[in-house]
Amino acid sequence: MMDDFIAARSQMAMSLGFHIIFACIGMVMPFFMAISHFIYLRTDNKVYRGLTKAWSKGVAIFFATGAVSGTMLSFELGLLWPTFMEHAGPIFGMPFSLEGTAFFIEAIALGFYLYGWDRLKPWFHWTTGVIVGLSGLASGILVVAANAWMNSPRGFDFVDGQYMNIDPIQAMFNDAWFSQALHMTLAAFVATGFAVSGIHALMILKRKNVVFHTAAFRISALSACLAAVLQPISGDISARDVASRQPAKLAAMEAHFETQANAPLIIGGIPDETGETVNYAIRLPGMLSLLVHGDTTTPVTGLKDIPKENWPPIAITHYAFQVMVTIGVSLVLLALLYFIALVKRKPWLESNWLLRLFIIATPLGYIAIEAGWVVTEVGRQPWIIHGVMRTADAVTPMPGIVYSFYLFTAVFVSLSGIVAFLLYRQIKMVGKLYDVTDPAYQRVD
């Protein structure tokens, strides 16, 4: 049986792994809904009215599940990491408080939106949907700001084991918040966009309500592809930021052991921590130095120059980083292919092979997000507050955490199963409720 420390870390990892999917969908789907609604208001095309209503039901489902999983996470922080919350709560509590405010605004706006059809003035009704999206996006950015503080603690002086001169504003706008928020926001649009477009591509391929699903595919695919081509820029910003603040994390990401100029970029490979090398890797000479410092002469710090007790788990961090980058590059290539189809090769847009590529891409964005969070969290170890508090010193002394881990795992698996069932029913019903060939289509709600 695992010990309580590993059980506590596993429970947080499992909870975050589920919640991040719900949160990303909750951040992005309201914008797809608002875009569809905008097109309907401008064109009076009933296809987009039906699409907006269908997507709004999905928004409601993920708002509810995100609220439940987020509430569970807030309890887990206090229950599993009481020492961390005792010291860190007064410092980084502001983004959590503001996130609660954004959540309430989102809930109110969503209520107006869902029940506002044919009751509110059309453009005011659309505005409430935009507010749902903006407040959901703000919630996500504020939570990421709190996580960024754990990677780049600011807004206090640490003197003789005491936290003095606390400045919550400086803590919230720490050195890492912008790069992490930008990277996470784009990742949410990439993952959700490709997931949604992949589902609708499957429906088109099955020749089910093609007009409806084509409209949905165009909105989601274009959004995903735009975000995908911007994501490498945010990734470069994030990597440079990590290199300056957390050299051990960068070294683990790249399995980079030797401090050297003209440091190679490592692709693939199997890290050997005992031999302090990487086997079977492709090395691109000088590329890591160039990406991190903008030149090949500035050395990149290797793990050998960092005390071993401060090393992150190298293999996990390296593999997760490789998965994230590989998927990111693949989705950029698919995005470029889609843009070529839009501009130069219009017949490709109706081809089965392009639809199949989007179907294959359906889960990839979320796999990349999960891998990215592994890099962020595992790569920060052994610190819960980087350079200030070790994770082992923050865990609860309460025994029996392993049973809590089993219980919470069962709850999250059950919650995910219910969500999957509801979405399956929703997708099946779409073809019947919003069939544009049905004369009753305009009055189906």
Side-chain angles (χ1 to χ4, degrees):
M1 181 180 291
M2 68 179 73
D3 62 35
D4 287 336
F5 175 60
I6 296 299
R9 287 188 60 190
S10 299
Q11 182 172 324
M12 284 301 300
M14 178 273 302
S15 302
L16 282 167
F18 278 102
H19 177 70
I20 197 171
I21 303 299
F22 301 147
C24 286
I25 297 173
M27 287 168 60
V28 175
M29 283 305 300
F31 287 101
F32 291 174
M33 177 185 76
I35 292 170
S36 176
H37 195 175
F38 178 82
I39 296 172
Y40 164 64
L41 292 176
R42 291 297 301 269
T43 65
D44 199 35
N45 187 331
K46 296 299 187 288
V47 171
Y48 290 97
R49 176 184 171 95
L51 177 58
T52 304
K53 287 195 170 189
W55 275 348
S56 69
K57 290 179 172 63
V59 169
I61 291 171
F62 281 103
F63 176 82
T65 53
V68 171
S69 60
T71 302
M72 292 172 68
L73 271 172
S74 65
F75 280 110
E76 287 179 83
L77 279 173
L79 291 171
L80 300 177
W81 313 102
T83 305
F84 167 71
M85 292 303 295
E86 176 187 356
H87 295 287
I91 305 172
F92 82 147
M94 179 173 283
F96 280 127
S97 300
L98 294 175
E99 192 274 336
T101 302
F103 172 80
F104 287 125
I105 293 172
E106 183 181 7
I108 294 168
L110 183 59
F112 273 104
Y113 191 81
L114 293 175
Y115 296 102
W117 286 99
D118 303 320
R119 295 180 179 89
L120 301 174
K121 291 185 178 180
W123 285 105
F124 177 78
H125 183 216
W126 173 79
T127 301
T128 63
V130 174
I131 292 173
V132 172
L134 292 175
S135 54
L137 184 62
S139 292
I141 290 174
L142 287 164
V143 171
V144 170
N147 178 266
W149 178 84
M150 297 164 69
N151 289 308
S152 178
R154 292 291 183 273
F156 65 95
D157 294 323
F158 190 62
V159 182
D160 297 329
Q162 300 295 318
Y163 297 81
M164 314 290 290
N165 304 322
I166 293 173
D167 184 347
I169 299 295
Q170 188 183 37
M172 183 167 68
F173 295 108
N174 57 78
D175 294 343
W177 85 269
F178 175 76
S179 60
Q180 280 197 213
L182 177 64
H183 197 57
M184 187 66 236
T185 299
L186 287 173
F189 274 89
V190 171
T192 304
F194 277 110
V196 173
S197 59
I199 291 170
H200 289 288
L202 179 62
M203 295 298 104
I204 296 170
L205 205 59
K206 290 185 174 182
R207 314 308 298 172
K208 293 184 178 180
N209 204 350
V210 173
V211 174
F212 176 91
H213 289 292
T214 298
F217 175 81
R218 287 173 179 170
I219 293 173
S220 54
L222 183 59
S223 300
C225 292
L226 286 171
V229 296
L230 294 174
Q231 187 70 311
I233 299 173
S234 74
D236 180 65
I237 294 171
S238 294
R240 290 173 185 267
D241 181 62
V242 168
S244 65
R245 291 182 300 94
Q246 296 175 292
K249 179 185 283 188
L250 179 74
M253 288 160 56
E254 289 290 341
H256 178 63
F257 288 94
E258 297 281 353
T259 298
Q260 57 182 307
N262 200 39
L265 182 70
I266 294 176
I267 301 176
I270 300 174
D272 178 2
E273 294 187 38
T274 304
E276 298 182 343
T277 186
V278 185
N279 300 315
Y280 315 112
I282 299 172
R283 291 173 170 82
L284 304 179
M287 286 302 297
L288 183 59
S289 292
L290 184 64
L291 289 172
V292 170
H293 299 298
D295 61 70
T296 59
T297 58
T298 305
V300 178
T301 302
L303 287 162
K304 289 184 180 181
D305 283 345
I306 298 168
K308 275 202 171 184
E309 63 268 21
N310 293 336
W311 283 17
I314 296 168
I316 295 173
T317 307
H318 177 68
Y319 294 144
F321 181 67
Q322 296 292 311
V323 167
M324 180 184 68
V325 171
T326 300
I327 291 176
V329 171
S330 301
L331 294 181
V332 168
L333 293 176
L334 178 54
L336 294 176
L337 191 63
Y338 184 70
F339 288 137
I340 292 172
L342 281 175
V343 177
K344 295 288 187 179
R345 297 287 189 270
K346 297 287 186 182
W348 288 4
L349 297 175
E350 299 178 3
S351 62
N352 289 346
W353 63 265
L354 184 61
L355 292 174
R356 289 193 179 98
L357 287 178
F358 274 91
I359 293 169
I360 293 170
T362 299
L364 295 184
Y366 289 119
I367 295 173
I369 283 179
E370 298 286 7
W373 272 100
V374 169
V375 172
T376 298
E377 296 302 296
V378 176
R380 190 181 60 247
Q381 300 308 312
W383 306 100
I384 192 169
I385 306 175
H386 180 66
V388 178
M389 180 185 292
R390 290 181 178 269
T391 308
D393 297 331
V395 70
T396 178
M398 182 178 67
I401 296 300
V402 65
Y403 300 107
S404 172
F405 168 59
Y406 295 148
L407 175 62
F408 274 73
T409 300
V411 170
F412 272 103
V413 170
S414 300
L415 183 63
S416 300
I418 293 169
V419 170
F421 173 72
L422 291 174
L423 290 177
Y424 175 74
R425 284 191 60 190
Q426 177 67 15
I427 292 169
K428 282 191 67 176
M429 290 170 61
V430 159
K432 298 176 181 178
L433 293 179
Y434 306 112
D435 185 355
V436 294
T437 63
D438 186 345
Y441 175 77
Q442 295 185 23
R443 52 186 173 82
V444 170
D445 291 337

